[in-house]
Amino acid sequence: MTEVSQNYVGGEWVSSETGETFDVQNPADPDETVASYQRSSAVDAAEAVAAAVDASDEWRRTPGPERGRVLRRAGTALADRKDEITEMLVAEEGKARPEAAGEVQRAIDIFHYFAGKAADLGGTVKGASSRDTTLYTREEPVGVAALITPWNYPIAIPAWKLAPALAAGNAVVLKPATLAPGVVLEIAAALDEAGLPAGACNVVTGPGSEVGSEFIRNDGTDAVSFTGSSRVGETVYEQATDAGKRVQTELGGKNPTLVTDSADPAEAAEIVATGAFGTTGQSCTACSRAVVHESVHDEFVEELVARAESIDVGPGLDHEMGPQVSAAELESTLEYVDIAQSEGATLASGGGRPDGDAVADGHFVEPTVFTDVDNDDTLACEEVFGPVIAVIEVDNFDEGLAVANDVEYGLSASVVTDDHTEAKRFVDEAEAGVVKVNEKTTGLELHVPFGGFKRSSSETWREQGDAGLEFYTIEKTVYDN
Ligand code: NAD
């Protein structure tokens, strides 16, 4: 019997008013239903917002150090169940076990990190014109924060929104992605066990167009933090802005790695392969364009193809690269393969479904390398969100930099070079929120700001670290005479 999970609202586990559920299938074996979740409606979402509004005052008045203790206990509760949560993540989202374990650990670390930050929040004393006046700032929560999250980092992204929001004293309503909601309900259970007051965190599963939309529309929410596709996120941004809410959107990417003539082709291929094929290419920061100097191009491609072909594709529990998350995502990747070929790119490796019993039924795709890609080609412009890398040959560093920047997105960008001047120029001129030298485009420490330029992000706010807390905080200036 498939387990039917419930929503977490007002500190209770509750069913949707619709009486309907939806199933989540294992992407490595779609015949296996992993779990069922509430197919909630706008009415359920509104009830969750009402619960958050009711809880808001108590949580806001809970002293920072106590809020921190709750977050620390929640992190520890997640750590106690790390192995089970890791397996749930693999079963629902499909990524390889070490990647899933790393992601769960990141969520635990985020809760512990913001536990410390909660104790430290408060404000700053400033110099006043009169000695009789104590002049200071007070950091206050924004109110109720609506959090809407994607499937590709189904526990880390909710954690990096929830933990700072709660640390700063906000109540939250959260709508996880429908493809992998289970791990978010694990966070809710951990917060419940940790003693979070009822209603301070509410999780409602169901369609974005109903649950997510209601969170944005409802007068009870004050801020909206969204991570997902640019297509949905740009609408969310408009809706939330029109409703007068503070809004943060973290969206898609089309991230380049520039390989210069001073780069070692083997080292560059390793950096590009790990950035492109890790998490089956389903990272917002995945490398999807390798912009390569003609003098190292052929050797680089040879090395990259060798790496692509050596990757062991199969169910994430015991293989190096798992499936795509759904049949629709797999189909979309294969369509991009067709489009690239029809636009004249050369398929250098992969491009289809792998052979073998272990991969017969799941949404598996081969790591794929295209060469002879023009920067105007569809493959170089649109986010594929699968393990597909477009190699674009350039004649010199200036052209490479221009090509790297010539895209609608600006999330992450890296350069592989042995030349310090080139590295400095790249850092200076790359149009991306995260810039790396001799490193893959993916991966970021939890205490540094994360966000993009151009269509990758709403630019006003960043996530993670102190920058992440700012979104959930309003400063009051106080004169006390
Ligand atoms: P998506 O945009 O389809 O969905 C994201 C969330 O929005 C889901 O919970 C979905 O149910 C909800 N949603 C859908 N329609 C909605 C609506 N009308 N109103 C409110 N909510 C709605 O994205 P996805 O497919 O889940 O995730 C993949 C995308 O996320 C990729 O484009 C990837 O680049 C991006 N992403 C960005 C970052 C980042 O930090 N920049 C991180 C991870 C993923």
Side-chain angles (χ1 to χ4, degrees):
M1 255 284 280
T2 310
E3 192 190 324
V4 180
S5 295
Q6 292 182 299
N7 291 332
Y8 181 68
V9 176
E12 307 279 341
W13 295 97
V14 297
S15 299
S16 163
E17 59 94 23
T18 63
E20 293 170 23
T21 58
F22 65 92
D23 295 339
V24 169
Q25 265 82 31
N26 182 340
D29 177 9
D31 288 340
E32 183 200 331
T33 297
V34 182
S36 297
Y37 297 93
Q38 301 300 312
R39 194 197 174 286
S40 312
S41 65
V43 174
D44 298 306
E47 279 174 13
V49 174
V53 170
D54 284 351
S56 184
D57 203 44
E58 179 188 351
W59 185 240
R60 182 175 82 88
R61 290 176 192 283
T62 302
E66 177 53 24
R67 295 202 294 260
R69 280 191 281 278
V70 171
L71 294 183
R72 188 166 294 106
R73 288 195 295 267
T76 303
L78 290 174
D80 290 344
R81 286 183 45 73
K82 184 178 169 189
D83 292 345
E84 292 94 310
I85 298 172
T86 297
E87 286 188 12
M88 178 189 278
L89 205 165
V90 175
E92 291 200 344
E93 198 264 354
K95 66 181 56 156
R97 188 198 290 266
E99 293 171 339
E103 188 186 333
V104 176
Q105 186 58 49
R106 172 56 63 96
I108 295 163
D109 292 346
I110 287 169
F111 274 95
H112 287 159
Y113 173 84
F114 282 106
K117 291 279 169 191
D120 229 16
L121 276 168
T124 317
V125 177
K126 304 280 186 188
S129 307
S130 153
R131 288 186 63 80
D132 296 331
T133 302
T134 310
L135 175 57
Y136 61 100
T137 61
R138 267 176 69 122
E139 287 159 335
E140 302 275 352
V142 175
V144 173
L147 316 178
I148 302 173
T149 56
W151 51 264
N152 67 325
Y153 286 98
I155 190 162
I157 292 176
W160 85 46
K161 295 183 190 296
L162 261 172
L166 291 172
N170 299 270
V172 301
V173 289
L174 195 165
K175 194 210 88 64
T178 42
L179 288 168
V183 289
V184 173
L185 292 167
E186 290 285 342
I187 297 183
L191 285 164
D192 188 87
E193 189 185 325
L196 184 76
C201 169
N202 306 275
V203 179
V204 180
T205 57
S209 54
E210 292 179 41
V211 178
S213 288
E214 177 59 25
F215 282 173
I216 298 163
R217 198 169 39 224
N218 195 294
D219 286 343
T221 59
D222 304 287
V224 176
S225 179
F226 172 95
T227 299
S229 61
S230 296
R231 184 183 58 80
V232 176
E234 282 161 4
T235 310
V236 164
Y237 186 82
E238 260 177 48
Q239 287 170 340
T241 311
D242 289 350
K245 299 183 185 186
R246 183 179 285 206
V247 55
Q248 168 183 62
T249 51
E250 298 298 342
L251 310 173
K254 192 71 202 171
N255 313 290
T257 294
L258 175 59
V259 180
T260 71
D261 59 350
S262 65
D264 170 35
E267 186 199 336
E270 183 63 26
I271 286 171
V272 168
T274 40
F277 306 134
T279 64
T280 320
Q282 300 175 128
S283 284
C284 49
T285 51
C287 176
S288 55
R289 295 181 300 141
V291 182
V292 186
H293 193 281
E294 51 87 15
S295 68
V296 289
H297 175 272
D298 293 356
E299 207 182 326
F300 166 82
V301 170
E302 205 176 296
E303 294 279 354
L304 183 62
V305 166
R307 278 163 181 76
E309 288 176 352
S310 74
I311 291 174
D312 168 33
V313 180
L317 281 181
D318 41 23
H319 294 267
E320 194 183 348
M321 189 178 104
Q324 292 224 239
V325 72
S326 66
E329 289 292 329
L330 170 63
E331 205 179 299
S332 159
T333 300
L334 295 175
E335 259 175 46
Y336 276 110
V337 169
D338 287 346
I339 292 170
Q341 283 177 301
S342 72
E343 291 182 359
T346 304
L347 181 60
S349 183
R353 309 204 48 204
D355 296 327
D357 289 347
V359 290
D361 300 320
H363 309 309
F364 296 98
V365 64
E366 294 172 310
T368 298
V369 179
F370 274 103
T371 56
D372 301 317
V373 179
D374 199 89
N375 207 42
D376 295 335
D377 291 353
T378 307
L379 191 70
C381 297
E382 296 184 11
E383 186 183 48
V384 175
F385 228 55
V388 181
I389 178 82
V391 181
I392 303 166
E393 189 174 341
V394 290
D395 290 336
N396 54 57
F397 180 80
D398 286 335
E399 185 193 350
L401 191 52
V403 165
N405 282 337
D406 183 22
V407 69
E408 288 183 327
Y409 297 98
L411 194 54
S412 180
S414 80
V415 64
V416 188
T417 180
D418 230 10
D419 178 329
H420 193 55
T421 308
E422 281 179 353
K424 280 173 72 178
R425 260 199 73 198
F426 188 82
V427 170
D428 197 35
E429 295 180 35
E431 294 165 4
V434 178
V435 181
K436 298 186 174 187
V437 178
N438 295 328
E439 287 206 21
K440 60 190 164 78
T441 54
T442 48
L444 205 70
E445 307 294 318
L446 59 81
H447 55 278
V448 290
F450 180 44
F453 289 8
K454 304 192 255 187
R455 284 189 76 194
S456 290
S457 177
S458 50
E459 292 196 18
T460 325
W461 304 97
R462 290 294 186 245
E463 294 204 279
Q464 302 201 140
D466 287 332
L469 270 173
E470 280 168 21
F471 179 74
Y472 299 102
T473 308
I474 289 184
E475 278 197 311
K476 229 181 218 175
T477 299
V478 182
Y479 282 77
D480 183 348
N481 193 328

